[in-house]
Amino acid sequence: MRTQFSARLSFTAAALLLLTVPTFAAAPRFTNVMPHGVQRGTEATITLSGANLEDAEEVLLYDSGMEVIEFTQPEDAAQKARTVTVKLRIAADCPLGSQRMRIRTRTGISEVQNVAVTALPIVEEKEPNTDFATPQVIEMNQVVHGRIDNEDVDYYQVEVKKGDRITAEVFGMRLAFSGGGNYFDPYIAIMNANRFEIAQADDTPLVWNDGVASVIAPEDGKYVIQIRDAAYNGDGRAYYLLHIGNFPRPKAIVPAGGKPGETLQVTFLGDVSGPITREVTLPAATPERFGLEVQDDKGVAPTPHVFRVVDLQNSIEVEPNNDRNTGTAAVAPGAMNGVIQEPGDFDFFTFEAKKDQQFDIEVYARRIRSPLDAVVYVYRQDNGQQVAANDDSRGQDPYLRFKAPEDGKYCVAVRDHLQNGSDIYSYRIEIAPITPGVTAEPIEFARYVQPNVDIPQGSGKGVVVNVQRRDFGGPVAFRGDNLPDGVRLECPEGWRTGGTMPLVFYADENAPVAGRYGTVVAHLADPNQPNTKVEGPFQQHMLMIRGNNNNRVWEEEIVRVPIVVTEKVPFKVWIDPPKVPLVRGGSMNLKVMCEKAEGWDEDIQVLMLQNPSGVNASGSVKIAKGTTEALIPMNAAGNAAVQESMIAIRCIAKVGNGNIETCTPFVPLRVEEQYVTFEFAQAAAEQGKEIPMVVKVNKRKDFEGEAEVALVGLPANATAEPLKMTKDTAELVFTIKVAENTPPGDNKNLLCQVKVPEAGETIFHNLGNGRLRVDRPLPPKADAPPPAAAPPMEKKEEPPKPLSRLEMLRLQQKEKEAAAAAAAAGQ
């Protein structure tokens, strides 16, 4: 459906705008949270720091289990712009681990920051604690909130009885606070009184680059836990939450998934006291992020185990299953779970399939935080013939599509790529029917920064979405669930079959200034496939830590988008809809106009939200101060798609303390075939002479009036007067004047710029592939008399008929032969 163009803004509330513009905060920043952790089952006060926060109104919590019960700011204006204090109520069953949050202001939305939820009370680090001989003494089952500086080492002392479990687990990298090439990579060690390390950890797969160290105390006494950066770095932002206690800390789980609503038995592996078996009941609906906590009479582990909630029947390996003849019986579709228990281990499962039956076979190992670097194989069970194999099509996990060549039994097998193995090398193999799917993710206009959806009242905010279809084709549209009041979204129909498409969120003039997490769903919208339902999330991957070589070290996946309505801005921009088409190989100046509130006058950068296929637009245009319009140069490639596309413009301007971005309504842009095409006859001339160039005109479409045609691309100092043509013109003849100082050479880039009038505007064509050769004149004979004075030119009624290229070549050859003969006769 075409958007009705209605974009002009009447500043009837100019006085109000004059009051708000000078204090317009804009571009809020959220750069720190202190402390970085809170204990569940309590109320806790945290301080959020940043910039441009003077008009902050609320904290948007992404995850469940916490609520804001107080929100305050300092009275001091300077501090108010930098600080927000929040009191949280953390539920007793709040999920452990990171909770994501943002600050919403009346003029924008901040970036994401994390706060960790712990099960244990939190104490602060107390310096000096940088020497083994003078550690900070703490009680068991506490969390220390501290910071590592450059070359810093922190020590904590606990007293333990023989046979007790000592576990240390750190949240460092997962706080996503220390970044850059020297981001915090924690190292922890448990040391006895003689300073010997009895357990240590750098990177524990269960907790990514953070560490877990655990040991059974060999004797009564004092033990010291050391924490530092693995490379002795520290950037002033290397904060940590160090959990120290006798709580359990297994590192793997089998099975690693189950059906929604199912009650099943799971075994946690890798704890120093041995396996832990529990019965759990899974949620009835698949949650966005789900993990199983493990606890015993000593406490609960700080990090839940990633657990898949999928409607597939579980099979668990039964040893021995190291070859196809002893494989554990399973079913397909289904899920196979097990452990590569020792180096060189190879686990097999058998299943049956019909000829041409297809399955997606996907191994979950690193994605469930196992150290296993899995390789997967599919064999025929009867003769052992390998049918398929894969190593790492899903990042470090393997995936393949299997099509049964005939009815029969098959084996799926898994091993570690480097033949490693231990009791925590767990895996889950999911064999599932092929199911169509779609995902959508906005591209980054600024590298490494995901766009925000903050929409000024009465305006829009645009993103360009990358859409990935899996096992289906057809147009994809978007719908919004739980959007703020007065907000709608629009993706024009003509874009929906592509891989990237513009999506604009619009807010009504009177939409309340507010925000919430909304769900934007990409879905198949094809009337020719009414019985096919395909839906998927609009998701964002927020880069939290960028390491060396721009490595994306840590990201937060967001599938509910923070959508906020902000205060009106003191400008509004719209596109003057083009009345004429942009033709292939041609150009156009797209006119954009604006209105500015009284008292505000800044540059407004104007950028195309998304160019139609084969169309390019300038990215350096602005509506300058003191003006209200600008022209965006656009051009179309010779093979640009002939179609009508809805286009919109991103508008960026400084308002108050930062930049504000809006988006115009969509307007149509037509790309058409050229109205005419030209065929150039090649031409050659000597320096100081004139030569006609003939251009044959092929008309494709009628037009009214006269078109102006200019020959461009001539060599230096050569000229040709422009011509005019009508829809009935069949041929153009340009007279090219070659100056005596025109450089000789072959010029192959001549073209005609054609201005075709239509509807009071101009359609610009660039047509060409002309060629002009410039020669030096032949040297005169040594005894030749000086040339006679040229007689006066007589006015001729008609110019001589121009010679064809072949005729010119023949004439030039005759002149050369005559000159050569004359020269020979004179010798």
Side-chain angles (χ1 to χ4, degrees):
M1 176 168 54
R2 183 174 296 179
T3 304
Q4 296 297 315
F5 176 73
S6 177
R8 293 180 181 271
L9 174 65
S10 175
F11 287 102
T12 57
L16 175 61
L17 286 167
L18 281 170
L19 289 174
T20 59
V21 169
T23 58
F24 208 89
R29 297 295 314 280
F30 181 13
T31 56
N32 197 4
V33 54
M34 291 294 284
H36 290 87
V38 294
Q39 183 184 7
R40 68 181 178 185
T42 69
E43 294 181 357
T45 299
I46 59 176
T47 300
L48 316 182
S49 303
N52 298 338
L53 301 177
E54 50 263 54
D55 59 345
E57 289 198 333
E58 66 175 327
V59 173
L60 295 179
L61 302 175
Y62 186 84
D63 300 286
S64 62
M66 292 199 311
E67 63 175 320
V68 177
I69 56 177
E70 287 183 14
F71 180 96
T72 59
Q73 287 186 274
E75 293 293 332
D76 179 75
Q79 289 298 317
K80 185 176 182 181
R82 297 194 293 265
T83 305
V84 171
T85 301
V86 174
K87 188 173 185 180
L88 300 171
R89 179 178 292 128
I90 307 99
D93 60 351
C94 179
L96 297 175
S98 64
Q99 292 261 338
R100 294 157 285 186
M101 60 179 63
R102 296 180 184 229
I103 302 173
R104 183 188 67 78
T105 71
R106 293 190 63 82
T107 51
I109 181 80
S110 76
E111 55 267 78
V112 179
Q113 291 292 347
N114 289 341
V115 64
V117 176
T118 76
L120 301 175
I122 300 172
V123 298
E124 291 293 326
E125 173 193 11
K126 294 179 180 178
E127 295 283 1
N129 65 339
T130 57
D131 192 297
F132 179 84
T134 58
Q136 180 177 339
V137 178
I138 64 170
E139 300 293 325
M140 284 286 278
N141 295 310
Q142 289 186 331
V143 178
V144 183
H145 178 232
R147 190 181 76 185
I148 293 294
D149 295 319
N150 189 40
E151 298 185 356
D152 189 14
V153 181
D154 290 344
Y155 295 94
Y156 300 95
Q157 179 182 287
V158 292
E159 189 158 353
V160 182
K161 296 293 185 182
K162 179 179 179 180
D164 281 355
R165 181 199 289 127
I166 310 172
T167 300
E169 178 179 329
V170 63
F171 274 73
M173 189 194 76
R174 289 176 290 168
L175 294 177
F177 191 66
S178 171
N182 294 325
Y183 66 88
F184 185 33
D185 181 11
Y187 173 92
I188 57 176
I190 301 174
M191 312 171 79
N192 63 17
N194 296 320
R195 204 168 184 169
F196 287 102
E197 293 185 357
I198 57 176
Q200 59 81 28
D202 180 1
D203 300 334
T204 303
L206 176 70
V207 293
W208 287 266
N209 284 43
D210 290 335
V212 171
S214 195
V215 68
I216 300 297
E219 59 186 4
D220 292 355
K222 294 179 174 62
Y223 293 84
V224 173
I225 291 81
Q226 177 200 81
I227 180 169
R228 60 175 173 83
D229 182 86
Y232 290 94
N233 291 318
D235 59 0
R237 296 173 61 89
Y239 286 91
Y240 60 82
L241 291 168
L242 179 60
H243 299 68
I244 301 173
N246 53 11
F247 50 83
R249 183 60 283 172
K251 301 180 182 68
I253 185 172
V254 176
K259 296 181 179 181
E262 179 182 20
T263 298
L264 73 164
Q265 182 173 287
V266 300
T267 301
F268 296 93
L269 303 171
D271 186 79
V272 291
S273 64
I276 301 171
T277 300
R278 295 288 184 267
E279 185 177 87
V280 298
T281 299
L282 302 180
T286 302
E288 177 184 329
R289 185 168 72 168
F290 182 70
L292 289 182
E293 296 180 3
V294 55
Q295 61 181 351
D296 60 12
D297 58 339
K298 303 296 184 182
V300 59
T303 301
H305 289 257
V306 177
F307 200 81
R308 301 267 301 158
V309 181
V310 184
D311 192 14
L312 291 173
Q313 179 177 330
N314 272 334
S315 299
I316 300 176
E317 70 160 322
V318 177
E319 292 284 1
N321 67 335
N322 293 61
D323 57 50
R324 60 188 173 87
N325 295 315
T326 60
T328 300
V331 296
M336 297 78 170
N337 303 267
V339 179
I340 299 299
Q341 297 180 7
E342 58 186 21
D345 193 10
F346 211 154
D347 286 353
F348 284 73
F349 296 84
T350 62
F351 65 95
E352 293 186 359
K354 298 291 185 182
K355 182 179 180 180
D356 294 331
Q357 192 173 9
Q358 295 189 70
F359 295 106
D360 282 338
I361 300 179
E362 190 150 2
V363 177
Y364 289 84
R366 292 299 174 92
R367 286 175 291 175
I368 59 171
R369 307 315 312 154
S370 167
L372 176 66
D373 182 5
V375 183
V376 67
Y377 303 85
V378 179
Y379 301 97
R380 288 180 54 162
Q381 203 273 337
D382 55 358
N383 60 17
Q385 178 185 358
Q386 181 177 306
V387 180
N390 187 258
D391 182 5
D392 53 7
S393 286
R394 290 287 191 266
Q396 291 179 295
D397 284 343
Y399 156 84
L400 60 85
R401 178 157 292 178
F402 166 68
K403 182 177 181 180
E406 59 183 51
D407 292 359
K409 284 189 174 182
Y410 296 86
C411 295
V412 60
V414 64
R415 66 171 176 85
D416 183 76
H417 181 74
L418 297 177
Q419 302 288 345
N420 292 321
S422 79
D423 63 342
I424 63 171
Y425 275 57
S426 59
Y427 60 83
R428 177 177 171 87
I429 307 170
E430 292 185 358
I431 303 181
I434 295 172
T435 304
V438 61
T439 57
E441 183 165 354
I443 66 172
E444 297 173 343
F445 294 133
R447 197 175 183 189
Y448 311 118
V449 180
Q450 278 285 311
N452 290 330
V453 183
D454 44 355
I455 321 154
Q457 292 171 312
S459 192
K461 183 67 175 286
V463 296
V464 176
V465 184
N466 183 21
V467 176
Q468 294 188 353
R469 298 169 178 83
R470 187 178 69 251
D471 298 305
F472 80 98
V476 169
F478 295 89
R479 73 168 187 271
D481 299 333
N482 197 38
L483 301 183
D485 294 341
V487 173
R488 69 187 189 282
L489 54 81
E490 183 176 349
C491 176
E493 186 174 349
W495 289 98
R496 297 178 184 177
T497 57
T500 58
M501 55 195 72
L503 178 64
V504 181
F505 297 81
Y506 293 106
D508 296 340
E509 292 276 354
N510 58 353
V513 174
R516 64 172 69 126
Y517 290 101
T519 302
V520 178
V521 179
H523 62 92
L524 176 65
D526 189 353
N528 298 319
Q529 304 180 67
N531 299 320
T532 302
K533 181 179 180 181
V534 184
E535 293 186 349
F538 175 98
Q539 61 189 19
Q540 292 181 288
H541 288 87
M542 317 300 294
L543 180 60
M544 307 295 286
I545 300 176
R546 176 160 60 99
N548 289 324
N549 301 316
N550 296 322
N551 182 29
R552 301 180 80 96
V553 175
W554 186 262
E555 296 178 326
E556 292 288 349
E557 183 179 80
I558 304 294
V559 298
R560 288 176 291 114
V561 184
I563 301 172
V564 303
V565 178
T566 65
E567 291 181 346
K568 290 181 181 179
V569 293
F571 67 90
K572 181 158 283 190
V573 182
W574 64 92
I575 304 171
D576 188 14
K579 300 180 181 63
V580 297
L582 173 63
V583 296
R584 281 180 160 183
S587 59
M588 168 187 286
N589 287 324
L590 184 69
K591 187 175 183 180
V592 291
M593 307 170 70
C594 77
E595 289 186 3
K596 300 178 180 179
E598 184 179 351
W600 183 90
D601 186 17
E602 297 285 347
D603 292 344
I604 304 174
Q605 185 180 14
V606 285
L607 302 164
M608 188 75 79
L609 177 59
Q610 183 173 0
N611 290 318
S613 177
V615 175
N616 186 46
S618 173
S620 58
V621 177
K622 62 184 178 182
I623 302 175
K625 293 180 180 180
T627 64
T628 57
E629 61 182 56
L631 298 176
I632 301 178
M634 303 177 66
N635 59 74
N639 61 350
V642 175
Q643 61 185 11
E644 180 177 280
S645 301
M646 303 298 288
I647 60 171
I649 297 294
R650 297 170 57 211
C651 316
I652 305 169
K654 183 179 180 181
V655 181
N657 298 331
N659 286 337
I660 292 288
E661 179 173 334
T662 68
C663 189
T664 69
F666 285 102
V667 300
L669 173 70
R670 298 193 325 272
V671 175
E672 292 187 2
E673 289 283 5
Q674 299 159 341
Y675 283 27
V676 293
T677 61
F678 286 175
E679 296 179 28
F680 287 75
Q682 298 183 18
E686 292 182 349
Q687 292 170 319
K689 294 187 177 181
E690 296 181 0
I691 189 71
M693 173 169 278
V694 181
V695 180
K696 181 180 177 182
V697 179
N698 300 309
K699 182 183 69 176
R700 284 179 169 170
K701 183 178 179 179
D702 286 342
F703 58 90
E704 298 296 327
E706 289 186 326
E708 298 180 7
V709 186
L711 182 64
V712 299
L714 293 167
N717 305 314
T719 60
E721 292 295 323
L723 304 175
K724 293 185 181 294
M725 62 175 285
T726 69
K727 61 182 177 63
D728 299 318
T729 301
E731 186 177 82
L732 296 169
V733 181
F734 290 94
T735 300
I736 302 175
K737 298 179 180 180
V738 181
E740 293 182 355
N741 59 347
T742 296
D746 199 2
N747 303 276
K748 301 178 181 180
N749 297 314
L750 274 63
L751 59 87
C752 285
Q753 292 182 340
V754 185
K755 300 177 182 179
V756 179
E758 184 175 300
E761 298 192 4
T762 301
I763 304 171
F764 293 90
H765 291 63
N766 296 311
L767 308 173
N769 195 15
R771 182 175 180 181
L772 170 66
R773 193 183 76 241
V774 177
D775 299 324
R776 291 187 176 90
L778 292 172
K781 293 185 296 183
D783 57 352
M793 296 291 291
E794 295 183 3
K795 185 177 180 180
K796 297 182 179 180
E797 296 295 330
E798 294 183 2
K801 181 180 178 181
L803 299 178
S804 69
R805 175 61 177 159
L806 180 59
E807 288 172 331
M808 286 191 291
L809 291 173
R810 287 174 176 168
L811 179 59
Q812 291 172 359
Q813 183 62 31
K814 287 180 180 180
E815 291 175 346
K816 289 180 180 179
E817 289 175 354
Q827 292 177 352

